[in-house]
Amino acid sequence: MGSHYKYISLPTGLDEAPPWQSQKAAPSDSWILSVAHTAISCLSCLLLLITFPVSIWCFLKVVPDYQRIVVFRLGRVRPPRGPGMVLMLPLIDQFQRVDMRTRAFKIPPSKVKSRDGAVVCLGADIQFRVCDPVLSVLSVQDLSFVIQNTAQNLLVQSLGRKYLQEIYSSRMRIGEHLKEDINEQVKQWGACVNRVDLAMEAIMQSPDSNPAGCVNTQSKTPSGGFEQLLMQVISLAKQNPEKEINPSTGLPLQQLLSRLEGNLNESLVSKVGSSFQFHLTLESGERAPYFLDLTSGLGRAGWGVIGGTPDVTLDITETDLLSLIQGKLHPLEAYNQGRLHVQGNLQTALQLQEVLQVVMQ
């Protein structure tokens, strides 16, 4: 597969001068070439004066604040120019505009294997900008393509040294370290990364030390945020044994949901800002939908289907939910085996922790 960009040798040491300051010391610069360069430049200026004022409209460039112009005079790079008006010499000057604004790209979700053998589907949102316009033009042909591939490779390498629990609970810290690693690579291309946000979509495989079907259900401290969410629901149900649930009713969380509907408020809406659709499959084969909309106002919740498209949809059978409450089925085991389905962004699903904190007050 052909390469989309090419590298050239550039000064990287602090004591080395940039390309436009080291031209006089280049071995190929003899006095004859210097005289020829000066003479051609004078002739170009003379042509500019002869054709004035028509030449002004052709060779006067306006550079906005968010751009810089890299000028090549007789093939040699000059210092970056702008913002404002920049005068180009006819016939001998070529230029390239460089956008200095922050740009962003998304690393699509891909499977990454952690240090303990778990396989997670994870992507990232990265923001970067050009810090040195000359290096960004001279070093690579497609800057965005190079940074995206570099970030994706470093993402896989970095997460391959982390455990699943660390990836799940310390995404912000890992993102900061990943940003530093990427900056070490891309600074030679005149770019710098401002922000890295990791987005975990799903856990495809549990760790090797705790494979699916052999999850330790005696653990009292769940390791994952989504696991903590389900364990809070289970603990809440176990704290009220006098309100025993009849599986045939199809409403195993009736008391919890009634409390939730009465505690919705603007503060909760501002923290979560997402909508959720629950689908509970009963033993009879029927499905009992329940929605939670925390996108505006005081929020709303109730039985039925939410109007519009929810941000997250959760699907679980009545039997599996009862097994979770009784402690016969571990939440992470249910998720890994496909018995608990989450459609949408997993990070958005984790925001339900804010809801459960209100419910359990």
Side-chain angles (χ1 to χ4, degrees):
M1 181 173 63
S3 176
H4 293 274
Y5 50 90
K6 61 180 181 178
Y7 300 90
I8 67 173
S9 177
L10 292 173
T12 56
L14 297 178
D15 296 333
E16 299 181 31
W20 59 85
Q21 294 180 3
S22 60
Q23 294 171 359
K24 293 183 179 180
S28 61
D29 282 345
S30 64
W31 67 273
I32 298 178
L33 293 179
S34 300
V35 172
H37 185 278
T38 304
I40 294 175
S41 299
C42 294
L43 291 177
S44 179
C45 292
L46 181 60
L47 178 62
L48 183 67
L49 294 176
I50 293 175
T51 57
F52 184 85
V54 178
S55 58
I56 296 298
W57 295 101
C58 299
F59 302 105
L60 186 64
K61 308 298 179 181
V62 178
V63 183
D65 287 335
Y66 58 85
Q67 284 185 349
R68 298 295 183 270
I69 281 185
V70 178
V71 179
F72 295 89
R73 179 164 297 170
L74 293 176
R76 296 178 178 177
V77 66
R78 308 287 294 178
R81 299 183 180 180
M85 293 186 295
V86 177
L87 183 62
M88 312 295 294
L89 295 182
L91 304 179
I92 65 172
D93 278 356
Q94 295 178 336
F95 70 94
Q96 182 172 338
R97 294 180 181 268
V98 179
D99 197 327
M100 306 294 291
R101 293 176 292 186
T102 299
R103 286 173 276 179
F105 62 86
K106 182 179 181 66
I107 297 179
S110 58
K111 294 182 180 179
V112 179
K113 189 173 184 179
S114 63
R115 186 175 181 179
D116 51 2
V119 179
V120 297
C121 184
L122 187 141
D125 296 320
I126 297 180
Q127 299 179 2
F128 75 96
R129 63 184 180 87
V130 174
C131 299
D132 191 322
V134 174
L135 287 180
S136 68
V137 172
L138 296 181
S139 56
V140 292
Q141 183 176 354
D142 191 339
L143 183 62
S144 298
F145 179 82
V146 176
I147 295 179
Q148 183 172 355
N149 280 269
T150 301
Q152 188 168 7
N153 293 334
L154 291 177
L155 175 64
V156 175
Q157 296 174 8
S158 176
L159 296 182
R161 299 189 294 266
K162 308 292 183 182
Y163 292 98
L164 175 61
Q165 179 177 353
E166 186 178 1
I167 296 175
Y168 215 18
S169 59
S170 306
R171 285 191 298 270
M172 293 186 63
R173 180 172 57 84
I174 295 176
E176 287 296 324
H177 292 167
L178 182 60
K179 182 182 72 172
E180 296 176 1
D181 293 340
I182 298 175
N183 276 324
E184 286 295 324
Q185 296 290 330
V186 304
K187 65 180 182 180
Q188 60 182 325
W189 304 322
C192 56
V193 174
N194 299 331
R195 185 171 181 176
V196 176
D197 292 328
L198 300 181
M200 179 177 292
E201 299 291 335
I203 302 175
M204 310 300 296
Q205 178 181 326
S206 57
D208 292 339
S209 59
N210 220 4
C214 301
V215 180
N216 182 14
T217 58
Q218 302 299 323
S219 176
K220 296 183 180 180
T221 306
S223 60
F226 193 71
E227 188 177 351
Q228 291 176 354
L229 164 66
L230 295 177
M231 292 303 292
Q232 287 177 359
V233 176
I234 295 171
S235 62
L236 181 62
K238 290 182 178 180
Q239 290 173 3
N240 297 276
E242 68 279 0
K243 298 179 182 179
E244 187 174 353
I245 299 169
N246 183 5
S248 62
T249 61
L251 301 177
L253 299 178
Q254 180 66 51
Q255 300 297 329
L256 175 64
L257 297 178
S258 298
R259 183 185 301 181
L260 170 63
E261 295 172 10
N263 290 342
L264 297 179
N265 53 64
E266 293 182 355
S267 176
L268 183 62
V269 172
S270 62
K271 289 181 179 179
V272 179
S274 303
S275 58
F276 307 86
Q277 180 69 60
F278 301 86
H279 290 292
L280 179 63
T281 303
L282 309 181
E283 292 182 353
S284 60
E286 298 179 358
R287 295 169 66 86
Y290 186 87
F291 71 89
L292 175 62
D293 186 1
L294 299 176
T295 57
S296 61
L298 296 176
R300 59 191 183 96
W303 293 100
V305 179
I306 190 173
T309 303
D311 296 316
V312 176
T313 301
L314 301 116
D315 195 339
I316 190 172
T317 64
E318 179 183 10
T319 303
D320 288 339
L321 182 59
L322 186 60
S323 298
L324 287 173
I325 296 176
Q326 295 174 347
K328 298 179 180 179
L329 179 65
H330 196 273
L332 184 58
E333 180 183 357
Y335 181 74
N336 289 335
Q337 293 179 354
R339 299 162 69 178
L340 173 63
H341 299 279
V342 178
Q343 298 179 5
N345 193 329
L346 192 59
Q347 286 184 309
T348 303
L350 298 181
Q351 293 178 341
L352 282 173
Q353 296 183 25
E354 300 287 345
V355 179
L356 291 181
Q357 291 177 3
V358 175
V359 175
M360 299 176 64
Q361 289 178 355

